[in-house]
Amino acid sequence: MRNINQHVLKSKESCAISQNEFSKEIAEIPALEVEALQEKFKESDAGDGTKRKDHILTGTKFYLCVLSLILCLFLIALDQMITAAVLTVISNYFNEFDKLTWITSAYMIPMGCCAQVWGRLSINFGRKWTLVTGIIFFEIGSLISGVANSMNMLICGRAIQGIGGSCIQTVVTIISTEITTIDKRPIIIAVMGLTFVFASAFGPIIGGIFGTYLSWRWCFYLNLCCSAIIFPFFILTYKPKMPTTTIKEKLKTVDVLDNFLLMSSCVLLLLGLSLGQTSNDWGSVSVIICFVLGGVLFIIFLIWNFKYSKYPVIPGNIFFNKQIFISFMIIMLSYSCIMVCIQFLSVYFENVINHNAFHTGLSLIPLAVTISLTSIISGILMKVCSLIKIYSLISGFSLPIAVGLLMLLGIKENLGYTIGFQILLAASNGLNFQGPFMIAMLYAPKDPGSTILTTALINFGRSIGTAVFSNIGEEIYTSTLQNYLAKITGSLQGTAYSVQAILLRSDLISKMNKHDHDLIAEQMLKSIHNVFWMVFAISIISLIFTFFMSNRKLPKKSEIET
């Protein structure tokens, strides 16, 4: 009897324990569900009264919108490379060789300085009409440049183009991140990045055809022709939900002083770089004033923006976010590397190998094709495997090697070297097109407008870095070449051109005898190598930052809160 009672008691205790465990499991289910929801990735709303889900497109609307964005971006990318092919032709036409580099600088300075400002304005007034404003600016600048009757008028037109181009590049990037979820973003970012690469290859070909067979003015008229198709196509295919705030509320959120301080300080600092490079007198009053005044305004901007501004153009919770800052630096440095390399590979093919603009474009096709394939492949792998950092690390290690190999280029063209080195350089950069940007998106704050401002900041870094390092590269090339040419003046046979004439008109080299041509080509090659050394140093710094990138993975579709 006692044994029976003990057995009954044990059974009751067992049942009580089972019931308690079952009750605990039941109680834990809601908590687990809440935890799962908390772990899902969520991006911030736009900050203009609309929700994140209001901007996501699918199906035909998505593909048409992407196509219109690619065309908008290709418009400004192609313009940069077409114009680069006819700089000498334009300078010859106006007979003002001393202002040749201003054709590029006048475009690049506002291109870099205005990027972040356009990002903030796109929140206030909506992405669609902000981009439309940018296209209008760009086309007005193209028209002024096309009909210019003086070099100063053309430079003014280029500056207006740069303001519009900055808006197009920034807002297109913002829209491309808004219309899809983050798991699909690596591929769309890769496609957007490819437009600049294709423009780098085909721009010189088109520019060479215009400069040789038609007129350099068609380099700018082409923009007007293309916009006649692109402008209405974009308006008809992109129909987002408009901001819900009133005009008065929109204007209240624009910190005019903050925007002015950022743009004016950046313009003055870049202007100082350009003036020093073009005048070759870094101690001149104009250069010193630009650097001093620009530096003071930039310090004032930092104090006002991060301490006092109610609506800062660069919010502190974005800029001082460790992973966003690392991504900012990697993109600025690695993108500058590829753009400066493309710029001076073009100089190498035209000035050292003596290719015309058309053949220079053909020579850069291996780079364009490779960077296209690698960026698309890495985007697909990133989406499938969810890994991000590994591709940036591979890129970080291989980029310095690729740049270092460019030092082996000689005054005689070696197709194996030129094609092989371009493939390695392109593959190194293509692998890193999306990684740092995706990390920045993952760590962007969740308060309204933060994703847009983070995207604008990354684009600001890309633009300002390209402007700064292009100017520094030009200065390294010009100053060292001037010194090298001065040393060999006595060794030239039958060449009556001055060092300054050769610096301003590289086409004169083709008119020299073989001895003088090869001697000067060697000096040009040495100067190009000096620029590549600068790029090598930049790539090493980029690699160092890559080590500190987060190991965070790209969220799967099921891990994203919609």
Side-chain angles (χ1 to χ4, degrees):
M1 189 68 173
R2 175 185 262 179
N3 290 337
I4 293 172
N5 288 335
Q6 286 178 348
H7 180 72
V8 169
L9 286 172
K10 285 182 179 179
S11 298
K12 288 182 178 179
E13 287 174 0
S14 176
C15 288
I17 292 171
S18 299
Q19 287 176 350
N20 288 336
E21 289 177 352
F22 180 75
S23 299
K24 286 181 181 178
E25 288 176 1
I26 293 295
E28 286 175 358
I29 288 175
L32 289 171
E33 288 177 349
V34 171
E35 187 178 349
L37 285 173
Q38 290 175 342
E39 288 179 354
K40 284 194 172 186
F41 178 79
K42 180 183 178 182
E43 291 185 277
S44 67
D45 293 329
D48 56 5
T50 61
K51 298 295 183 182
R52 174 74 185 91
K53 61 183 180 181
D54 296 333
H55 299 277
I56 296 177
L57 301 178
T58 56
T60 305
K61 290 182 179 179
F62 171 77
Y63 292 110
L64 287 174
C65 183
V66 169
L67 179 59
S68 69
L69 294 176
I70 291 172
L71 291 174
C72 289
L73 202 58
F74 191 71
L75 182 67
I76 62 166
L78 191 64
D79 174 82
Q80 293 180 46
M81 301 313 300
I82 287 178
T83 307
V86 294
L87 293 178
T88 304
V89 176
I90 296 173
S91 299
N92 286 337
Y93 181 86
F94 290 114
N95 198 28
E96 293 194 60
F97 303 118
D98 56 325
K99 296 180 180 179
L100 180 144
T101 55
W102 280 105
I103 301 173
T104 302
S105 296
Y107 182 88
M108 292 304 300
I109 288 174
M111 186 80 173
C113 299
C114 300
Q116 190 67 25
V117 174
W118 285 117
R120 168 59 78 177
L121 292 177
S122 74
I123 296 176
N124 303 125
F125 301 101
R127 268 65 71 205
K128 180 174 184 175
W129 297 111
T130 303
L131 182 53
V132 166
T133 303
I135 294 174
I136 292 172
F137 267 106
F138 185 78
E139 296 308 326
I140 290 173
S142 298
L143 180 61
I144 294 172
S145 299
V147 301
N149 55 20
S150 69
M151 182 66 94
N152 289 338
M153 183 177 176
L154 186 137
I155 290 171
C156 177
R158 291 291 287 164
I160 296 172
Q161 273 190 296
I163 294 171
S166 176
C167 174
I168 294 171
Q169 182 171 310
T170 301
V171 181
V172 162
T173 308
I174 290 171
I175 294 173
S176 66
T177 62
E178 268 195 325
I179 60 176
T180 187
T181 52
I182 196 168
D183 60 313
K184 300 173 184 175
R185 205 165 293 163
I187 297 176
I188 193 172
I189 293 300
V191 172
M192 293 296 167
L194 296 183
T195 57
F196 281 92
V197 181
F198 274 108
S200 300
F202 298 110
I205 297 175
I206 299 172
I209 292 172
F210 286 161
T212 305
Y213 302 108
L214 294 173
S215 167
W216 60 265
R217 296 184 186 276
W218 274 101
C219 295
F220 303 106
Y221 294 154
L222 180 65
N223 296 332
L224 300 173
C225 297
C226 291
S227 66
I229 300 172
I230 296 171
F231 191 82
F233 185 62
F234 169 73
I235 290 177
L236 293 173
T237 57
Y238 181 56
K239 298 178 180 179
K241 185 175 181 180
M242 298 306 294
T244 58
T245 52
T246 64
I247 293 293
K248 188 177 180 180
E249 291 172 330
K250 291 172 184 175
L251 293 175
K252 280 184 178 179
T253 59
V254 178
D255 191 329
V256 177
L257 178 60
D258 199 36
N259 285 273
F260 169 76
L261 289 171
L262 175 62
M263 288 192 295
S264 58
S265 59
C266 289
V267 166
L268 285 169
L269 291 171
L270 288 175
L271 193 60
L273 278 175
S274 296
L275 285 172
Q277 189 261 319
T278 53
S279 66
N280 202 29
D281 184 7
W282 291 93
S284 66
V285 176
S286 56
V287 173
I288 292 173
I289 288 176
C290 283
F291 280 127
V292 172
L293 187 57
V296 171
L297 287 176
F298 189 69
I299 292 171
I300 296 173
F301 162 74
L302 293 177
I303 295 171
W304 177 262
N305 182 82
F306 294 121
K307 192 170 182 180
Y308 297 106
S309 179
K310 189 176 180 181
Y311 300 101
V313 68
I314 304 179
N317 64 337
I318 292 176
F319 188 77
F320 295 112
N321 182 302
K322 178 184 174 182
Q323 287 302 321
I324 293 177
F325 180 76
I326 289 172
S327 299
F328 173 86
M329 293 301 298
I330 294 172
I331 289 175
M332 181 180 72
L333 296 171
S334 62
Y335 189 78
S336 298
C337 282
I338 190 67
M339 295 310 293
V340 173
C341 281
I342 290 172
Q343 180 182 352
F344 283 92
L345 279 172
S346 299
V347 173
Y348 170 75
F349 286 123
E350 287 192 35
N351 295 352
V352 178
I353 305 302
N354 205 26
H355 286 341
N356 58 29
F358 178 77
H359 287 100
T360 296
L362 293 178
S363 300
L364 290 171
I365 286 178
L367 186 146
V369 172
T370 305
I371 205 168
S372 304
L373 291 174
T374 52
S375 59
I376 290 293
I377 291 171
S378 64
I380 294 171
L381 290 174
M382 198 176 292
K383 185 179 185 305
V384 173
C385 305
S386 297
L387 299 175
I388 299 176
K389 185 175 180 178
I390 183 65
Y391 308 111
S392 295
L393 281 173
I394 295 172
S395 170
F397 278 108
S398 58
L399 186 57
I401 296 172
V403 175
L405 288 173
L406 294 177
M407 311 290 185
L408 299 177
L409 296 175
I411 61 170
K412 303 296 181 184
E413 186 173 20
N414 183 320
L415 284 177
Y417 278 9
T418 56
I419 294 175
F421 297 165
Q422 282 188 74
I423 289 174
L424 181 58
L425 177 68
S428 302
N429 203 267
L431 287 172
N432 210 24
F433 254 41
Q434 307 96 329
F437 182 82
M438 297 311 301
I439 290 293
M441 292 294 97
L442 290 172
Y443 281 88
K446 306 308 175 189
D447 46 307
S450 291
T451 300
I452 289 176
L453 291 176
T454 301
T455 304
L457 179 65
I458 296 300
N459 202 67
F460 173 71
R462 181 189 295 141
S463 300
I464 207 78
T466 302
V468 168
F469 289 115
S470 291
N471 269 303
I472 294 174
E474 285 281 359
E475 171 59 21
I476 291 172
Y477 176 76
T478 304
S479 59
T480 57
L481 180 58
Q482 190 169 11
N483 292 332
Y484 294 152
L485 291 177
K487 291 177 182 178
I488 64 162
T489 303
S491 302
L492 297 175
Q493 301 173 357
T495 296
Y497 303 118
S498 65
V499 170
Q500 195 65 24
I502 296 171
L503 285 171
L504 294 172
R505 292 190 58 185
S506 57
D507 59 309
L508 296 176
I509 304 171
S510 61
K511 301 177 182 178
M512 299 177 184
N513 60 55
K514 187 178 184 305
H515 173 271
D516 291 356
H517 175 277
D518 289 350
L519 192 57
I520 292 176
E522 286 177 1
Q523 312 315 309
M524 288 184 166
L525 184 61
K526 286 164 62 177
S527 297
I528 292 171
H529 284 171
N530 290 336
V531 177
F532 288 155
W533 276 115
M534 178 199 75
V535 177
F536 178 80
I538 297 171
S539 66
I540 292 295
I541 298 172
S542 177
L543 172 61
I544 293 171
F545 274 105
T546 305
F547 284 119
F548 297 97
M549 267 181 69
S550 169
N551 290 312
R552 192 169 175 179
K553 294 183 177 182
L554 187 71
K556 299 287 187 182
K557 186 176 181 180
S558 59
E559 300 170 342
I560 300 171
E561 184 176 337
T562 57

